[in-house]
Amino acid sequence: MEKIYTRPSYIREGATSGFCPGCMHSTVHKLVGEVLDELGIVNKTVTVWGVGCCILGAGYTTHDSFGSPHGRACAVASAYKRTNPDEIVYTYQGDGDLASIGIAETIYAANRGENFTVIFINNSTYGMTGGQMAPTTLVGQKATTAPFGRDPKQHGYPVHVCELLATLKAPYYLERVTCLDAPNVLKAKKAIKKAFQNQIDGKGFSLVEIMSNCPTNWGMAPLETLEFMKENTLKEFPLGVYRDKDAE
Amino acid sequence: MPKVEIRSESCKACEYCVKTCPNKVLALGAESNSKGYHYVVPANPDACIGCKLCAIVCPDAAIEVYK
Ligand SMILES: Cc1ncc(C[n+]2csc(CCOP(=O)(O)OP(=O)(O)O)c2C)c(N)n1
Ligand code: SF4
Ligand code: SF4
Ligand code: SF4
Ligand SMILES: [Mg+2]
């Protein structure tokens, strides 16, 4: 009998992630690990963590990584990749980090077509700090800072990062995926693999937005978040490829 | 015979695998791990077909599959 599924080498032996039960941050860490193993690049990959629950990945994974100031991961990764072009560099950021405090750094790195990979976890909340409203919080969705739900008159509308970046010429690849069931997890993995392969091939800025959950701050059991996402999140944030220069 | 093994210390009882398994192999167990989660056990092991779907959806990479 042969082992046909095991954890990637990127996860520390015996480690348990610090993420809450059912949090898709965990799933995405596993997928990144599987992709790095399959591409044989785990030993030359460097992560630039944003600020947020993402940083819980630092103790969970084996390879080199460093933190960046809140929102600045794309600026840090731009500098690191330009000075270490032989290494594989990716940022791992939440929606508060990437699309709020860091939206300028994100847009300009994308606009320069920087040759690194962005793994963007959009859980429509500031998870780590306890559930404040994020740029991506859905209309009507409650947050500690919007106790009656997001009201467009007061708070504006959710920000769609893939659509926004797709107005720029330089980005090479932009795709939005999710991890809410097995077929979608496999699609998410394929997108993450492509985003790393693009970097290996020197093609330029590649971003995968993973629509995710936050059971803890949404106040739901993990299985309930999956239903909520199908009914709400994915209607506001349609999955799909927003830019793929390979296909043009 | 295909089979699954659960890393009980890594399981957080989210139940994604329980819901996903087409053959109802998995269930939350009676025992809890050191973090207090009632980790998943193969309650109906003979029904496993080694399809890996449980392992694919497991956020915490807690499932190993053999075939
Ligand atoms: C300059 C600065 N401002 C605010 C904070 C507090 N802070 C920590 S994490 C975070 C937001 C995290 O949200 P997100 O990026 O969506 O990550 P999540 O935890 O949801 O994955 C904030 C505002 C900080 N650490 N530094
Ligand atoms: S607070 Fe939310 S985003 Fe952070 S680990 Fe828990 S479930 Fe995941
Ligand atoms: S491998 Fe397939 S059949 Fe076996 S426990 Fe997992 S999901 Fe069920
Ligand atoms: S999916 Fe993984 S963490 Fe969740 S209950 Fe199953 S084995 Fe445990
Ligand atoms: Mg967030």
Side-chain angles (χ1 to χ4, degrees):
Chain A
M1 200 156 43
E2 195 195 333
K3 202 182 251 199
I4 58 166
Y5 194 103
T6 190
R7 32 168 65 181
S9 69
Y10 171 87
I11 298 178
R12 251 175 234 281
E13 190 42 50
T16 297
S17 82
F19 303 111
C20 306
C23 177
M24 289 179 198
H25 268 298
S26 282
T27 321
V28 175
H29 273 70
K30 183 182 77 165
L31 295 182
V32 169
E34 290 177 4
V35 164
L36 298 183
D37 275 348
E38 285 171 23
L39 295 174
I41 54 173
V42 74
N43 289 327
K44 59 171 186 172
T45 298
V46 172
T47 315
V48 183
W49 306 107
V51 169
C53 285
C54 58
I55 199 70
L56 295 168
Y60 186 47
T61 55
T62 49
H63 69 309
D64 290 342
S65 70
F66 49 92
S68 62
H70 202 5
R72 314 305 184 228
C74 281
V76 173
S78 298
Y80 193 88
K81 180 69 185 185
R82 285 183 180 206
T83 47
N84 299 274
D86 297 334
E87 293 180 34
I88 301 299
V89 181
Y90 78 100
T91 73
Y92 184 105
Q93 303 174 257
D95 47 330
D97 188 78
L98 179 144
S100 184
I101 189 170
I103 196 157
E105 284 75 7
T106 307
I107 288 177
Y108 282 103
N111 195 45
R112 295 189 303 269
E114 297 286 348
N115 187 33
F116 62 81
T117 305
V118 177
I119 303 298
F120 168 38
I121 307 292
N122 181 351
N123 58 8
S124 65
T125 187
Y126 283 21
M128 175 156 270
T129 44
Q132 293 82 3
M133 188 171 59
T136 46
T137 297
L138 308 178
V139 170
Q141 189 176 10
K142 289 190 177 131
T144 56
T145 47
F148 304 109
R150 184 181 194 138
D151 173 3
K153 283 204 188 97
Q154 267 198 67
H155 311 121
Y157 290 91
V159 171
H160 297 81
V161 169
C162 283
E163 290 86 333
L164 199 65
L165 296 183
T167 64
L168 304 172
K169 276 192 183 158
Y172 194 87
Y173 174 56
L174 306 165
E175 181 162 356
R176 181 181 291 129
V177 296
T178 187
C179 285
L180 57 69
D181 56 21
N184 276 297
V185 171
L186 293 173
K187 270 194 206 161
K189 180 175 168 182
K190 201 168 154 219
I192 291 169
K193 195 165 185 178
K194 185 171 164 79
F196 278 97
Q197 187 64 52
N198 286 347
Q199 183 181 163
I200 294 169
D201 298 340
K203 288 175 171 170
F205 191 87
S206 296
L207 175 147
V208 182
E209 175 175 9
I210 300 104
M211 295 315 300
S212 301
N213 58 351
C214 177
T216 299
N217 289 298
W218 292 4
M220 295 178 198
L223 285 174
E224 287 173 335
T225 66
L226 307 183
E227 293 312 309
F228 178 88
M229 287 179 72
K230 280 184 221 161
E231 291 303 314
N232 303 280
T233 313
L234 298 186
K235 289 185 179 153
E236 178 65 38
F237 289 94
L239 304 180
V241 177
Y242 287 82
R243 167 71 55 78
D244 184 2
K245 288 196 181 179
D246 280 342
E248 282 168 14
Chain B
M1 267 263 290
K3 68 164 185 177
V4 290
E5 272 175 10
I6 316 293
R7 294 171 180 258
S8 53
E9 270 304 308
S10 292
C11 174
K12 295 179 187 157
C14 70
E15 297 186 87
Y16 292 170
C17 59
V18 175
K19 190 184 165 213
T20 300
C21 175
N23 285 1
K24 301 204 171 5
V25 172
L26 304 165
L28 290 187
E31 303 286 315
S32 53
N33 62 20
S34 69
K35 300 223 163 58
Y37 296 117
H38 285 273
Y39 58 86
V40 154
V41 293
N44 186 14
D46 294 345
C48 180
I49 53 171
C51 67
K52 300 193 285 192
L53 293 173
C54 55
I56 289 166
V57 296
C58 177
D60 287 285
I63 304 181
E64 316 263 302
V65 187
Y66 297 82
K67 196 168 180 176

